[in-house]
Amino acid sequence: METASPARRVAVELSRCGDKGVTGPLQGHHHEAYAIVLPLGNPLGEEYVRGKLRVRREGLLWFDRRTFAFEDELLMALKGRVSRIPECVEFAEGLFLQGFVEGRTLRDRRFGIGRLSGRHVGQLGELFGQIAVVKNGELALKMLPEDVFRPSVRDGDTAGFLGGLIDFTQGEVYEKNRGEFGSLFDRLGVSAASLNGLRDRASGLTPRPFCLVHGDLHRRNLIVDSRGDLWFIDWELAMIGDPLYDLATHLHLMNYNECDALRVKEAWRGAVEAVCPGASEGWERDLPHLLTFKQAQSVYTDVIRTAVALQLGVGALAGASAGAASPGPGAASPAPARRLARAAWKVQRVLALARTALGLPSVPTRAEIRATYGEWVRRRG
């Protein structure tokens, strides 16, 4: 019998129902997380039936800049300032318990992929307005010392902010991992020089006052509760910066149709301007440049993530059904072939979307990408 991890043992001790009251580990890459039935004397309040205990996994690849050392401390600092975010308490030194938001993510097909109701558009706009008033220096929280790419620029220097993001992608994603994944980038035609065009675009951005940005507003981080309200979770990538970056990231991750994208843009602009005049200055001209960066960033991150998923044989790329019959002697396993095919589709898609952003003369075919990843995996056994 497999020994329980330290995090699970803590979850069992906290749960009112012992091991039966623990669900998990929950889906997630950077944390080992468990949902627990809260004990008597619920520290999170009567609104929550369950809490979420998360312990950060060490030694993992990070593809996004992080500013705050502890997401839990940020949530506690935002209490009373930002609506519909999880309650959070520190129950022991360095151990935090978050309220578990009961509901379904917007990834659930019953909500319609890529669509938001008018109510949810309004609540999303409310979020943008609430965080737009949170300025640099207002949150006395521990910062990550290793975030060497945090731009030491004056408030409103949007060009410096985007330049710092580009530097992070080049240094911490591409250069830092080139020893292991460099052959993939080379075969796909992507290099550090591919980011030069983005730097030129960044230099002309319009100044806007900086504020808190969530940085990761995608469907899995948007929860609809039983009352139909929209909640916002996973603040680990939050930072102080250009408010337009949050809109660009959200649009890139959500892949709205044109009509819904327009509704969200209008909600964002109205919300940030109402509380922070000038926060949307030049947004229509600058938004395409930030979207272009997000497309390019996806290439560098997805090339590596896809390789890791193939090497481990797990994750979203896994195509084999559990319990499938094993192939006969000498036969090729169908699961790796299916995973390679899905990997090729995924990588070709992000390359095609970012072709102009990265200045790529062409995009490899799916067969070429499949062969590239197949060779990379074989070399690693």
Side-chain angles (χ1 to χ4, degrees), residues 61 180-181 184 301-314 317 343 346-347 373 376-377 380:
L61 296 172
E180 185 172 1
F181 304 101
L184 290 173
T301 60
D302 286 0
V303 165
I304 296 176
R305 282 176 172 148
T306 300
V308 171
L310 284 172
Q311 190 174 19
L312 296 177
V314 298
L317 293 174
K346 177 181 179 181
V347 172
Y373 274 97
W376 185 88
V377 171
R380 283 154 181 77

Side-chain angles (χ1 to χ4, degrees), residues 305-374:
R305 282 176 172 148
T306 300
V308 171
L310 284 172
Q311 190 174 19
L312 296 177
V314 298
L317 293 174
S321 299
S326 300
S333 171
R338 288 198 294 270
R339 290 198 294 271
L340 280 170
R342 293 193 66 186
W345 176 86
K346 177 181 179 181
V347 172
Q348 188 191 49
R349 180 175 177 272
V350 297
L351 283 169
L353 288 172
R355 179 177 178 179
T356 301
L358 296 175
L360 304 179
S362 62
V363 174
T365 65
R366 290 187 193 176
E368 291 170 335
I369 297 172
R370 189 165 60 245
T372 295
Y373 274 97

